[in-house]
Coordinates of all heavy atoms in Angstrom, one line a residue:
M6 N 155.0 102.4 129.1 CA 153.8 101.8 129.7 C 154.1 100.4 130.0 O 154.4 99.6 129.1 CB 152.7 102.0 128.7 CG 151.4 101.3 129.0 SD 150.4 102.2 130.2 CE 150.2 103.7 129.5
P7 N 153.9 100.0 131.3 CA 154.0 98.5 131.6 C 153.0 97.7 130.8 O 151.8 98.1 130.7 CB 153.7 98.5 133.1 CG 153.8 99.9 133.6 CD 153.5 100.8 132.4
T8 N 153.5 96.6 130.3 CA 152.7 95.8 129.4 C 152.7 94.3 129.9 O 153.7 93.8 130.3 CB 153.2 95.9 128.0 OG1 153.2 97.2 127.6 CG2 152.3 95.1 127.0
A9 N 151.5 93.7 129.8 CA 151.5 92.2 130.1 C 151.1 91.5 128.8 O 150.3 92.0 128.0 CB 150.4 92.0 131.2
V10 N 151.7 90.3 128.6 CA 151.4 89.5 127.4 C 150.9 88.2 127.9 O 151.5 87.6 128.8 CB 152.7 89.3 126.6 CG1 152.4 88.3 125.5 CG2 153.2 90.6 126.1
L11 N 149.7 87.8 127.4 CA 149.1 86.5 127.7 C 148.9 85.7 126.4 O 148.2 86.2 125.5 CB 147.8 86.7 128.4 CG 147.0 85.5 128.7 CD1 147.7 84.6 129.7 CD2 145.6 85.8 129.3
L12 N 149.6 84.6 126.3 CA 149.5 83.8 125.1 C 148.8 82.5 125.4 O 149.2 81.8 126.3 CB 150.9 83.5 124.6 CG 151.8 84.6 124.2 CD1 153.2 84.1 123.9 CD2 151.3 85.3 123.0
S13 N 147.8 82.2 124.6 CA 147.1 81.0 124.7 C 147.9 79.9 124.0 O 148.9 80.2 123.3 CB 145.7 81.0 124.2 OG 145.7 81.3 122.8
A14 N 147.5 78.7 124.1 CA 148.3 77.5 123.6 C 148.5 77.6 122.1 O 149.5 77.2 121.6 CB 147.5 76.2 123.9
H15 N 147.6 78.3 121.3 CA 147.7 78.3 119.9 C 148.2 79.7 119.3 O 148.4 79.8 118.1 CB 146.4 78.0 119.2 CG 145.9 76.6 119.6 ND1 146.5 75.5 119.2 CD2 144.9 76.2 120.4 CE1 145.9 74.4 119.7 NE2 144.9 74.9 120.5
D16 N 148.5 80.6 120.2 CA 149.0 81.9 119.8 C 150.5 81.8 119.7 O 151.2 81.1 120.4 CB 148.7 83.0 120.7 CG 147.2 83.5 120.6 OD1 146.6 83.2 119.6 OD2 146.7 84.0 121.6
V17 N 151.1 82.6 118.7 CA 152.5 82.6 118.5 C 153.0 84.0 118.4 O 152.4 84.8 117.8 CB 152.9 81.9 117.2 CG1 154.4 81.9 116.9 CG2 152.4 80.4 117.2
T18 N 154.1 84.3 119.1 CA 154.8 85.6 119.0 C 156.3 85.3 119.4 O 156.6 84.3 120.0 CB 154.2 86.7 119.9 OG1 154.8 87.9 119.5 CG2 154.4 86.4 121.3
I19 N 157.1 86.3 119.0 CA 158.5 86.1 119.4 C 158.8 87.2 120.4 O 158.7 88.4 120.2 CB 159.4 86.4 118.1 CG1 159.1 85.2 117.1 CG2 160.9 86.4 118.5 CD1 159.8 85.4 115.8
R20 N 159.2 86.6 121.6 CA 159.3 87.5 122.8 C 160.3 88.6 122.6 O 160.1 89.7 123.0 CB 159.7 86.6 124.0 CG 159.7 87.3 125.3 CD 160.0 86.4 126.4 NE 159.9 87.2 127.7 CZ 159.7 86.7 128.8 NH1 159.5 85.4 129.0 NH2 159.6 87.4 129.9
R21 N 161.4 88.4 122.0 CA 162.4 89.4 121.9 C 161.9 90.6 121.0 O 162.3 91.7 121.3 CB 163.8 88.9 121.4 CG 163.8 88.4 119.9 CD 165.2 87.9 119.6 NE 165.1 87.2 118.3 CZ 165.5 87.7 117.2 NH1 166.1 88.8 117.1 NH2 165.4 87.0 116.1
W22 N 161.1 90.3 120.0 CA 160.5 91.4 119.2 C 159.5 92.2 120.1 O 159.4 93.4 120.0 CB 159.9 90.9 118.0 CG 160.9 90.4 117.0 CD1 162.2 90.6 117.0 CD2 160.6 89.7 115.8 NE1 162.8 90.0 115.9 CE2 161.8 89.4 115.1 CE3 159.4 89.2 115.2 CZ2 161.9 88.7 113.9 CZ3 159.5 88.5 114.0 CH2 160.8 88.3 113.4
A23 N 158.7 91.4 120.8 CA 157.7 92.1 121.7 C 158.4 93.0 122.7 O 158.0 94.1 123.0 CB 156.9 91.1 122.4
E24 N 159.5 92.5 123.3 CA 160.3 93.2 124.3 C 161.0 94.4 123.7 O 161.2 95.4 124.4 CB 161.3 92.3 125.0 CG 160.6 91.3 125.9 CD 161.5 90.3 126.6 OE1 162.6 90.1 126.0 OE2 161.2 89.8 127.6
R25 N 161.3 94.4 122.4 CA 162.0 95.5 121.8 C 161.1 96.7 121.7 O 161.6 97.8 121.9 CB 162.4 95.0 120.4 CG 163.1 96.1 119.6 CD 163.2 95.8 118.1 NE 161.9 95.7 117.5 CZ 161.6 95.2 116.3 NH1 162.6 94.6 115.6 NH2 160.4 95.1 115.8
D26 N 159.8 96.5 121.5 CA 158.9 97.6 121.3 C 158.0 97.9 122.5 O 157.3 98.9 122.4 CB 158.0 97.3 120.1 CG 158.8 97.1 118.8 OD1 159.8 97.8 118.7 OD2 158.4 96.3 118.0
H27 N 158.1 97.1 123.6 CA 157.2 97.3 124.7 C 157.9 97.1 126.0 O 158.9 96.3 126.1 CB 156.0 96.4 124.6 CG 155.2 96.5 123.3 ND1 154.3 97.5 123.1 CD2 155.3 95.7 122.2 CE1 153.8 97.3 121.8 NE2 154.4 96.2 121.3
D28 N 157.4 97.7 127.1 CA 158.0 97.5 128.4 C 157.2 96.3 129.0 O 156.3 96.5 129.8 CB 157.8 98.8 129.2 CG 158.3 98.6 130.7 OD1 159.1 97.7 130.9 OD2 157.9 99.4 131.5
I29 N 157.6 95.1 128.7 CA 156.9 93.9 129.2 C 157.3 93.6 130.6 O 158.5 93.4 130.9 CB 157.1 92.8 128.2 CG1 156.5 93.1 126.9 CG2 156.5 91.5 128.8 CD1 156.7 92.1 125.8
V30 N 156.3 93.6 131.5 CA 156.6 93.3 132.9 C 156.0 92.0 133.3 O 156.3 91.5 134.4 CB 156.1 94.5 133.8 CG1 156.9 95.8 133.5 CG2 154.6 94.7 133.7
R31 N 155.2 91.4 132.5 CA 154.6 90.1 132.7 C 154.4 89.4 131.4 O 153.8 89.9 130.5 CB 153.2 90.3 133.4 CG 152.5 89.1 133.8 CD 151.2 89.3 134.5 NE 150.5 88.1 134.8 CZ 150.7 87.3 135.8 NH1 151.7 87.6 136.7 NH2 150.0 86.2 136.0
W32 N 154.8 88.2 131.4 CA 154.7 87.3 130.2 C 154.2 86.0 130.7 O 154.8 85.3 131.4 CB 156.1 87.1 129.6 CG 156.1 86.4 128.3 CD1 156.0 85.0 128.1 CD2 156.1 86.9 127.0 NE1 156.0 84.7 126.8 CE2 156.1 85.9 126.1 CE3 156.2 88.2 126.5 CZ2 156.1 86.1 124.7 CZ3 156.2 88.4 125.1 CH2 156.2 87.4 124.3
T33 N 153.0 85.6 130.2 CA 152.3 84.4 130.6 C 152.0 83.5 129.3 O 151.4 84.0 128.4 CB 151.0 84.7 131.3 OG1 151.3 85.6 132.4 CG2 150.4 83.4 131.9
E34 N 152.4 82.3 129.4 CA 152.1 81.3 128.3 C 151.2 80.2 128.9 O 151.6 79.6 129.8 CB 153.4 80.8 127.7 CG 154.2 81.8 127.0 CD 155.4 81.2 126.3 OE1 155.5 80.0 126.0 OE2 156.3 82.1 126.0
L35 N 150.0 80.1 128.3 CA 149.1 79.1 128.8 C 149.2 77.7 128.1 O 149.6 77.7 126.9 CB 147.7 79.6 128.6 CG 147.3 80.9 129.3 CD1 146.0 81.4 128.9 CD2 147.5 80.8 130.8
E36 N 148.8 76.7 128.8 CA 148.9 75.4 128.2 C 147.6 75.0 127.4 O 147.5 74.1 126.6 CB 149.0 74.3 129.3 CG 150.2 74.6 130.2 CD 151.4 73.6 129.8 OE1 151.1 72.6 129.3 OE2 152.5 74.0 130.1
R37 N 146.6 75.9 127.6 CA 145.3 75.6 126.9 C 144.7 76.9 126.4 O 145.2 78.0 126.7 CB 144.3 74.8 127.8 CG 143.8 75.5 129.0 CD 142.9 74.6 129.8 NE 142.5 75.3 131.0 CZ 141.3 75.8 131.2 NH1 140.4 75.7 130.2 NH2 140.9 76.4 132.3
G38 N 143.6 76.8 125.7 CA 142.9 78.0 125.2 C 143.4 78.2 123.8 O 144.3 77.7 123.3
G39 N 142.6 79.1 123.1 CA 142.9 79.3 121.7 C 142.8 80.8 121.5 O 143.0 81.6 122.4
H40 N 142.6 81.2 120.2 CA 142.6 82.6 119.8 C 141.5 83.4 120.5 O 141.7 84.6 120.8 CB 142.5 82.7 118.3 CG 142.6 84.1 117.8 ND1 143.8 84.8 117.8 CD2 141.6 84.9 117.3 CE1 143.5 86.0 117.3 NE2 142.2 86.1 117.0
F41 N 140.4 82.8 120.8 CA 139.3 83.5 121.5 C 139.3 83.1 123.0 O 138.3 82.6 123.5 CB 138.0 83.1 120.8 CG 137.9 83.5 119.3 CD1 138.1 82.6 118.3 CD2 137.8 84.9 119.0 CE1 138.1 83.0 117.0 CE2 137.8 85.3 117.7 CZ 138.0 84.3 116.7
L42 N 140.3 83.4 123.6 CA 140.5 83.0 125.0 C 139.4 83.6 125.9 O 139.0 82.8 126.9 CB 141.9 83.5 125.5 CG 142.3 83.0 126.9 CD1 142.4 81.5 126.9 CD2 143.6 83.7 127.3
A43 N 138.9 84.8 125.7 CA 137.9 85.3 126.6 C 136.6 84.5 126.5 O 135.9 84.4 127.5 CB 137.6 86.8 126.1
M44 N 136.4 83.8 125.4 CA 135.2 83.0 125.4 C 135.5 81.5 125.7 O 134.6 80.8 126.3 CB 134.6 83.0 123.9 CG 134.1 84.3 123.5 SD 133.3 84.5 121.9 CE 133.9 83.2 120.9
E45 N 136.7 81.1 125.4 CA 137.1 79.7 125.7 C 137.5 79.4 127.1 O 137.2 78.3 127.6 CB 138.2 79.3 124.7 CG 137.8 79.4 123.3 CD 139.0 79.2 122.3 OE1 140.1 78.8 122.8 OE2 138.9 79.6 121.1
A46 N 138.2 80.3 127.7 CA 138.7 80.1 129.1 C 138.7 81.4 129.8 O 139.8 81.9 130.2 CB 140.0 79.4 129.0
P47 N 137.6 82.0 130.1 CA 137.5 83.3 130.7 C 138.2 83.4 132.0 O 138.8 84.4 132.4 CB 136.1 83.7 130.7 CG 135.3 82.4 130.6 CD 136.2 81.5 129.8
E48 N 138.2 82.3 132.8 CA 138.8 82.3 134.1 C 140.3 82.5 134.0 O 140.9 83.1 134.9 CB 138.4 81.0 134.9 CG 139.1 79.7 134.4 CD 138.5 79.1 133.1 OE1 137.5 79.6 132.6 OE2 139.1 78.1 132.6
L49 N 140.9 82.0 133.0 CA 142.4 82.1 132.8 C 142.7 83.6 132.5 O 143.7 84.1 133.0 CB 142.9 81.2 131.7 CG 142.8 79.7 132.0 CD1 143.3 79.0 130.7 CD2 143.6 79.3 133.2
L50 N 141.9 84.2 131.6 CA 142.1 85.6 131.3 C 141.9 86.5 132.5 O 142.8 87.3 132.8 CB 141.2 86.0 130.1 CG 141.2 87.4 129.7 CD1 142.6 87.8 129.2 CD2 140.1 87.7 128.7
V51 N 140.8 86.3 133.2 CA 140.5 87.2 134.3 C 141.6 87.0 135.4 O 142.1 88.0 136.0 CB 139.1 86.9 134.9 CG1 138.9 87.6 136.2 CG2 138.1 87.3 133.9
S52 N 142.0 85.8 135.7 CA 143.0 85.6 136.7 C 144.3 86.3 136.3 O 145.0 86.9 137.2 CB 143.3 84.1 136.8 OG 144.4 83.8 137.6
D53 N 144.8 86.2 135.1 CA 146.0 86.9 134.7 C 145.9 88.4 134.7 O 146.8 89.1 135.2 CB 146.4 86.4 133.3 CG 147.9 86.7 133.0 OD1 148.7 86.1 133.7 OD2 148.2 87.6 132.2
V54 N 144.8 88.9 134.3 CA 144.6 90.4 134.4 C 144.6 90.9 135.8 O 145.2 91.9 136.2 CB 143.3 90.8 133.7 CG1 142.9 92.3 134.0 CG2 143.4 90.6 132.2
R55 N 143.9 90.1 136.7 CA 143.9 90.5 138.1 C 145.4 90.5 138.7 O 145.7 91.4 139.5 CB 143.0 89.6 138.9 CG 141.6 89.9 138.7 CD 140.7 89.0 139.5 NE 139.3 89.3 139.4 CZ 138.3 88.5 139.6 NH1 138.5 87.3 140.0 NH2 137.1 89.0 139.4
E56 N 146.1 89.4 138.4 CA 147.5 89.3 138.9 C 148.3 90.5 138.4 O 149.2 91.0 139.2 CB 148.1 88.0 138.6 CG 147.5 86.8 139.3 CD 148.1 85.5 139.0 OE1 149.3 85.5 138.7 OE2 147.4 84.5 139.0
F57 N 148.2 90.8 137.2 CA 148.9 92.0 136.6 C 148.6 93.3 137.3 O 149.6 94.0 137.8 CB 148.6 92.1 135.1 CG 149.2 93.3 134.5 CD1 150.6 93.4 134.3 CD2 148.4 94.4 134.1 CE1 151.2 94.5 133.7 CE2 149.0 95.5 133.5 CZ 150.4 95.6 133.3
F58 N 147.4 93.6 137.5 CA 147.0 94.8 138.1 C 147.3 94.8 139.6 O 147.5 95.9 140.2 CB 145.6 95.2 137.8 CG 145.5 95.8 136.4 CD1 144.9 95.1 135.4 CD2 146.0 97.1 136.1 CE1 144.8 95.6 134.1 CE2 145.9 97.6 134.9 CZ 145.3 96.9 133.8
D59 N 147.2 93.7 140.3 CA 147.6 93.6 141.7 C 149.0 94.1 141.9 O 149.3 94.8 142.9 CB 147.4 92.2 142.3 CG 146.0 91.9 142.6 OD1 145.2 92.8 142.7 OD2 145.7 90.7 142.8
K60 N 149.9 93.8 141.0 CA 151.3 94.2 141.1 C 151.5 95.6 140.7 O 152.6 96.2 141.1 CB 152.2 93.3 140.2 CG 152.2 91.9 140.7 CD 153.1 91.0 139.9 CE 153.1 89.6 140.4 NZ 153.9 88.7 139.6
M61 N 150.6 96.2 140.0 CA 150.7 97.6 139.6 C 150.3 98.6 140.7 O 150.5 99.8 140.7 CB 149.8 97.9 138.4 CG 150.3 97.2 137.1 SD 151.8 97.9 136.6 CE 152.9 96.5 136.8
R62 N 149.7 98.1 141.8 CA 149.2 99.0 142.9 C 150.4 99.5 143.7 O 151.3 99.0 143.9 CB 148.3 98.2 143.9 CG 147.0 97.9 143.3 CD 146.1 97.4 144.3 NE 145.2 96.4 143.9 CZ 144.2 96.0 144.6 NH1 144.0 96.4 145.8 NH2 143.4 95.1 144.1

């Protein structure tokens, strides 16, 4: 399953572990935002989701 990862400024993950278990086709790291990105910066979340699905067409 193609997977997109969107990390806000305060989220932490290790890319190689994520790639080991998932088919990551998009990896985005933001300069701002926090754990509740949908409430803090919804425009960033929506933009990234749209870009991901545009490429899936």
Side-chain angles (χ1 to χ4, degrees):
M6 174 74 58
T8 304
V10 175
L11 176 63
L12 298 171
S13 63
H15 300 289
D16 286 337
V17 177
T18 190
I19 297 176
R20 188 172 182 160
R21 69 181 166 104
W22 289 350
E24 289 174 334
R25 179 190 66 194
D26 298 327
H27 305 282
D28 177 22
I29 297 179
V30 297
R31 181 177 177 82
W32 186 279
T33 307
E34 294 184 19
L35 302 173
E36 304 259 335
R37 65 184 179 103
H40 183 71
F41 298 104
L42 188 62
M44 294 183 338
E45 297 170 16
E48 70 283 356
L49 296 176
L50 175 63
V51 170
S52 173
D53 198 67
V54 169
R55 285 182 175 156
E56 288 180 34
F57 173 71
F58 281 107
D59 280 346
K60 293 180 181 179
M61 293 291 115
R62 290 190 212 192

